[in-house]
């Protein structure tokens, strides 16, 4: 089952220490799209994901969006941040991840794989031997936020 185990689990994408990974030799990020940096069917990044991408770009990470989703939204975001992408990727197939490594011209040891799904992002990343980071899906983060808000509301009623 270790093939399904992320190397790191974080509570939010902003708690990933990009600078420390850069200093330890990481140079690239394979990044999931839906529910990792944007909610489903939305083409706008929230502020947290925006700052994360900005920092990664500023640190000179090579970034490849790797998504099973279609091209249109993926391309829009990739163009905005001047990063590469592979859409309709058929994760967790190894081929998708190897293609991303090739696109970035990096070795597996130099690359972080970040995503919200064990059976696509983490499994695929582990298969090719990258360092894998699991983030909770944005939709559940929002769900938790909503629940918390309701709880607060019930107190002030
Ligand atoms: Mg996802």
């Amino acid at each position: 089952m270790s093939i399904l185990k992320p190397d790191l689990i974080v509570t939010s994408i902003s708690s990933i220490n990009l600078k420390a990974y850069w200093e330890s030799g990481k140079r690239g990020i394979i990044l999931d799209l839906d529910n990792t940096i944007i909610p489903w069917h939305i083409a706008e990044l929230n502020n947290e994901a925006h700052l994360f991408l900005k920092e990664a770009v500023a640190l000179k990470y090579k970034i490849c969006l790797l998504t099973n989703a279609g091209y249109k939204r993926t391309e829009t975001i990739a163009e905005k941040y001047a990063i590469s992408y592979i859409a309709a990727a058929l994760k967790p197939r190894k081929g998708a991840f190897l293609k991303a490594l090739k696109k970035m011209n990096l070795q597996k040891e130099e690359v972080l794989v970040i995503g919200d799904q064990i059976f696509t992002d983490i499994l695929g990343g582990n298969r090719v031997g990258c360092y894998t980071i699991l983030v909770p899906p944005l939709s559940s983060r929002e769900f938790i936020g909503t629940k918390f808000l309701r709880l607060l509301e019930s107190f002030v009623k």
Side-chain angles (χ1 to χ4, degrees), residues 32-36 40 91 115-117 120-121:
D32 175 50
L33 184 70
D34 281 312
N35 262 330
T36 295
W40 291 100
K91 289 183 286 184
D116 69 298
Q117 287 194 304
T120 55
D121 307 307

Side-chain angles (χ1 to χ4, degrees), residues 63-67 71 74-75 78-79 83-87 103:
I63 302 162
C64 184
L65 293 177
L66 186 68
T67 174
Y71 289 86
T74 312
E75 188 182 31
E79 276 177 359
I83 58 180
S84 60
Y85 72 93
I86 299 170
K103 217 169 185 148

Side-chain angles (χ1 to χ4, degrees), residues 55-68:
E55 191 194 355
V57 169
L59 284 166
K60 305 271 189 280
Y61 274 98
K62 290 179 181 173
I63 302 162
C64 184
L65 293 177
L66 186 68
T67 174
N68 288 348

Side-chain angles (χ1 to χ4, degrees), residues 13-14 36-39 44-55 80-81 138 141-142:
I13 202 163
S14 60
T36 295
I37 58 167
I38 56 172
E44 278 294 307
L45 271 68
N46 66 15
N47 197 44
E48 185 193 10
H50 168 71
L51 292 175
F52 175 84
L53 267 183
K54 249 181 77 174
E55 191 194 355
K80 189 173 170 190
Y81 293 90
L138 269 177
R141 274 176 258 169
E142 275 161 13

